[in-house]
Amino acid sequence: SFDLPAAANHSVIALLVDACLLIGCVRALRSENAESRGRRLWDSVQGPIKATVAAVYFFAVFHKLNSSYFDPDVSCATTQVAKMFELHGFERPTSLSVFGFNIYLTLILEILIIVFLLWPRFSHGGALIGLLFHTAVGWAQFFDFATVVFALYLFFLPWDGIQRNISRIPRWAHACFLG
């Protein structure tokens, strides 16, 4: 909050999610039995966190709808791919128009991610597309934003499915993860 209004996107999202979690924890602690606290926390924060992620994706697409974004010579969609090549030891291309396809690919993927995430039947697909997209973007040094978004995708998945999959994890894996 000290960096606002110039804070990084992932910092703003993390601040909003932290506020949701704090409010949700207070609500969960007021639950009668300990068994239902996890579910109550989930129910308290899932909607606001989903709305936050949806708003972030909406504005991510909306702010790209300008002439500069569609100009391959200055678009972040092309310059970031060129930067990714440089960071990994490849020669930077002389013309950024080679990466012009990435302008439209980025818009399409960001729209697909949020549409699928908000459509419960396809939320797993939205999370998968998002994981692939943000992993690729992470190679251009946006790994900090990618890790925050990866964690937030969980809130688009149903509680029962997550609980069922967590119960499949062997006990020894918990200790390894903590270690």
Side-chain angles (χ1 to χ4, degrees):
S1 64
F2 292 124
D3 293 333
L4 290 174
N9 292 343
H10 68 281
S11 297
V12 174
I13 294 170
L15 176 68
L16 295 171
V17 170
D18 287 347
C20 288
L21 288 171
L22 287 172
I23 293 167
C25 284
V26 169
R27 292 189 70 206
L29 285 173
R30 294 184 8 209
S31 291
E32 306 262 330
N33 61 7
E35 296 272 327
S36 68
R37 286 188 180 143
R39 179 64 187 246
R40 177 138 187 201
L41 172 62
W42 186 264
D43 291 340
S44 304
V45 300
Q46 189 179 25
I49 289 175
K50 286 168 74 171
T52 301
V53 173
V56 167
Y57 272 104
F58 171 78
F59 285 109
V61 171
F62 182 73
H63 95 275
K64 289 178 174 99
L65 301 178
N66 62 67
S67 59
S68 293
Y69 183 77
F70 290 97
D71 179 0
D73 293 325
V74 295
S75 176
C76 64
T78 56
T79 58
Q80 291 304 320
V81 175
K83 179 181 177 182
M84 185 171 43
F85 271 70
E86 280 185 66
L87 288 171
H88 299 291
F90 297 102
E91 192 173 310
R92 185 181 179 110
T94 54
S95 173
L96 291 176
S97 62
V98 171
F99 302 122
F101 70 92
N102 198 45
I103 293 168
Y104 301 98
L105 181 63
T106 299
L107 284 172
I108 291 167
L109 289 175
E110 286 181 334
I111 291 168
L112 282 176
I113 290 167
I114 195 57
V115 167
F116 282 5
L117 282 174
L118 291 175
W119 197 341
R121 183 175 181 183
F122 298 108
S123 61
H124 287 87
L128 179 62
I129 294 169
L131 287 169
L132 294 172
F133 174 75
H134 287 289
T135 298
V137 174
W139 282 90
Q141 290 190 321
F142 286 106
F143 51 86
D144 46 5
F145 180 76
T147 53
V148 170
V149 173
F150 291 165
L152 297 180
Y153 287 160
L154 284 174
F155 291 96
F156 288 87
L157 305 176
W159 169 264
D160 296 331
I162 291 173
Q163 197 172 31
R164 184 175 50 254
N165 289 327
I166 287 175
S167 68
R168 292 181 187 167
I169 299 172
R171 288 190 181 262
W172 59 266
H174 296 268
C176 290
F177 178 72
L178 240 68

